[in-house]
Amino acid sequence: MATVEAENAMKVGEDSIVVRNKRKSMRKQRKSMFLPRFGCFRLGDESATFDKKNQDGSTDMVSDRGVVDHHPHPTHLIVMVNGIIGSAENWRYAAKQFLKAYPQDVLVHCSERNTSTLTFDGVDVMGERLADEVISVIERYPYLRKISFIGHSLGGLIARYAIALLYGENYLNRLLKMSGETGTNSCAEVLQGKDYIGKIAGLEPVNFITFATPHLGSRGHNQVPIFCGLHTLEIIARQTSWFLGKTGRHLFLTDKDKEKPPLLLRMANDCEDLPFLSALRSFNRRVAYANVRFDQLVGWYTSSLRHENELPKRRQVERNDKYRHILNVETGVVAAPQRGSTLASIMYGWKKLRTREMMKEMIKGLTSVSWERVDVKFGGGKYRFVAHNSIQVLSCHR
């Protein structure tokens, strides 16, 4: 009798545990309804990743599955670039997901050269740092064959500058400069016939992806939604852009370097000795993720590279059945050649251009190559209030 009662008590205890577990599971499911989901990031934990410390103090992320399966040499380098006042840690979660999806093929490097207040030093200075950082990574992994860039916010502009420095012959020039400073023999290998024409840092360019990047800068016309479109606030922000250092002047198009056009205007075309557009065109895919609403720092059309009248009507778009925060996906279409901006119009006519006209010139140049556009909207929960960072996917969203 006592045995039967003990068994019944155990069964009751087991049932209560099952009920508690079910309740916990339901609470987690309800909570996850308010978190953003992106297809490439919704992956399980089948494999672990670890940080590989290098002699120069930098860190690369690799998968232990590649080592266990005797494939220690990744072939595809993914460079992830943080935004203003950010750090490599911002991309850590997303980096792990890439490694779990492609453990034998991918090496992920979260840029560490432009962090915290160093992001005030200007797009050009940070682009040079990133370019040198990428070269250092490639030197450590000679088996790399492909390269992709992913940038959040300001990181997208930094990456656009860096790839111009690493494109074609500019990569060779960069190697020669570094070899003079560090004494490495990397340039000798290139001079012996390594194919670098049409490539980025001697590697095949694959994907160039930006998340909430102010491609057109932050000057006027609702480029910074927090100003609510008030002209007075936009003028004040432009006049006080020095507060963000050289980066602020670049973003608000107030930089004047030897009577040259603003840097972002120059970056919309192949300008002088830097082939900004050719470098961008060399990638197989270019993708721009943009927040439709709730991003208080970067407006919808500057991050999606559209004219204001080209933005999809919100009532006419349908949500993605699989990923509820994706509102609209526009596949890449090659723009008509006549839309492209000319170098002459930028170099000699920029002083006559008003803010809106400069926006049009930048869109003309940047859309002369095809872009895939993904419009994102965080419609509920606390994540919509930090949409600018939520689109980056900083942590596990299930």
Side-chain angles (χ1 to χ4, degrees):
M1 184 69 177
T3 303
V4 173
E5 291 178 353
E7 291 178 352
N8 291 334
M10 290 176 63
K11 289 181 179 180
V12 172
E14 291 174 355
D15 292 341
S16 63
I17 292 174
V18 171
V19 171
R20 285 199 299 271
N21 289 338
K22 286 184 177 180
R23 288 176 178 173
K24 288 182 181 179
S25 178
M26 292 175 64
R27 283 197 296 271
K28 289 181 180 179
Q29 290 177 1
R30 285 197 298 268
K31 186 177 180 180
S32 69
M33 292 174 62
F34 300 99
L35 302 176
R37 298 186 178 191
F38 295 92
C40 59
F41 296 144
R42 293 176 56 201
L43 299 165
D45 297 329
E46 293 85 359
S47 63
T49 62
F50 63 90
D51 297 339
K52 183 178 179 181
K53 298 293 182 181
N54 303 301
Q55 292 181 352
D56 61 359
S58 62
T59 303
D60 301 318
M61 293 185 67
V62 296
S63 171
D64 64 353
R65 188 190 296 181
V67 175
V68 172
D69 294 346
H70 306 292
H71 292 279
H73 304 306
T75 58
H76 190 166
L77 172 63
I78 299 179
V79 181
M80 311 188 84
V81 192
N82 59 270
I84 198 164
I85 321 182
S87 69
E89 191 67 22
N90 298 148
W91 277 119
R92 188 173 182 80
Y93 174 75
K96 287 186 174 182
Q97 309 316 305
F98 280 112
L99 290 170
K100 291 172 184 176
Y102 309 101
Q104 299 174 359
D105 304 317
V106 168
L107 168 72
V108 180
H109 181 81
C110 300
S111 176
E112 301 169 310
R113 299 283 179 90
N114 300 300
T115 62
S116 189
T117 54
L118 291 176
T119 56
F120 297 157
D121 292 343
V123 174
D124 53 351
V125 174
M126 290 185 287
E128 291 185 1
R129 289 182 193 146
L130 178 60
D132 293 343
E133 185 177 12
V134 170
I135 291 175
S136 298
V137 174
I138 294 173
E139 288 180 343
R140 293 195 295 267
Y141 300 92
Y143 296 95
L144 291 169
R145 295 292 179 267
K146 302 177 181 180
I147 188 169
S148 293
F149 285 82
I150 302 177
H152 172 248
S153 191
L154 179 65
L157 295 177
I158 299 171
R160 278 177 49 200
Y161 195 98
I163 62 174
L165 293 170
L166 297 172
Y167 179 73
E169 294 182 358
N170 283 305
Y171 170 54
L172 175 59
N173 296 333
R174 201 74 193 171
L175 277 177
L176 291 170
K177 180 180 178 180
M178 290 185 67
S179 67
E181 296 174 352
T182 64
T184 62
N185 59 3
S186 299
C187 62
E189 298 177 2
V190 178
L191 290 171
Q192 291 174 1
K194 184 176 179 180
D195 182 16
Y196 57 88
I197 303 300
K199 294 185 177 181
I200 301 294
L203 305 178
E204 177 189 347
V206 181
N207 298 306
F208 189 91
I209 304 173
T210 62
F211 288 82
T213 289
H215 288 286
L216 312 179
S218 305
R219 179 171 169 173
H221 301 292
N222 294 315
Q223 300 285 47
V224 183
I226 198 173
F227 297 149
C228 303
L230 297 176
H231 187 59
T232 302
L233 291 180
E234 292 173 346
I235 291 177
I236 293 174
R238 187 192 317 167
Q239 294 174 344
T240 57
S241 60
W242 55 264
F243 181 72
L244 296 177
K246 191 176 180 181
T247 298
R249 294 192 291 274
H250 285 159
L251 289 174
F252 285 91
L253 310 179
T254 59
D255 56 305
K256 297 179 181 179
D257 183 12
K258 299 178 181 179
E259 295 300 312
K260 294 180 181 179
L263 179 61
L264 296 191
L265 188 57
R266 283 180 275 152
M267 286 174 60
N269 210 315
D270 288 346
C271 197
E272 298 174 329
D273 57 341
L274 289 177
F276 295 110
L277 201 58
S278 294
L280 200 55
R281 184 181 288 112
S282 69
F283 286 84
N284 292 337
R285 293 176 67 231
R286 291 154 297 276
V287 187
Y289 282 77
N291 280 310
V292 174
R293 293 185 63 190
F294 305 117
D295 190 330
Q296 301 302 320
L297 299 179
V298 179
W300 186 9
Y301 77 91
T302 183
S303 55
S304 65
L305 289 166
R306 296 185 181 105
H307 292 284
E308 202 164 3
N309 60 359
E310 294 176 338
L311 296 174
K313 302 298 181 182
R314 296 174 187 174
R315 294 181 180 180
Q316 298 176 0
V317 297
E318 296 182 2
R319 287 187 180 274
N320 189 294
D321 294 333
K322 192 174 182 181
Y323 310 114
R324 64 190 183 90
H325 290 290
I326 293 181
L327 196 66
N328 179 62
V329 177
E330 185 177 302
T331 57
V333 178
V334 178
Q338 62 269 21
R339 290 187 63 193
S341 180
T342 63
L343 182 60
S345 66
I346 292 177
M347 295 302 295
Y348 303 111
W350 71 273
K351 289 184 179 180
K352 300 179 182 179
L353 299 178
R354 297 186 178 182
T355 299
R356 189 175 292 276
E357 292 170 334
M358 282 195 282
M359 302 298 111
K360 291 180 179 179
E361 284 295 312
M362 285 187 278
I363 292 177
K364 284 181 182 179
L366 293 172
T367 57
S368 64
V369 299
S370 63
W371 286 85
E372 297 176 32
R373 298 178 176 91
V374 181
D375 300 311
V376 180
K377 179 183 177 182
F378 299 98
K382 63 181 181 180
Y383 286 92
R384 66 177 179 175
F385 299 111
V386 286
H388 186 69
N389 292 326
S390 296
I391 197 172
Q392 190 179 6
V393 190
L394 300 175
S395 59
C396 181
H397 301 329
R398 293 184 179 278

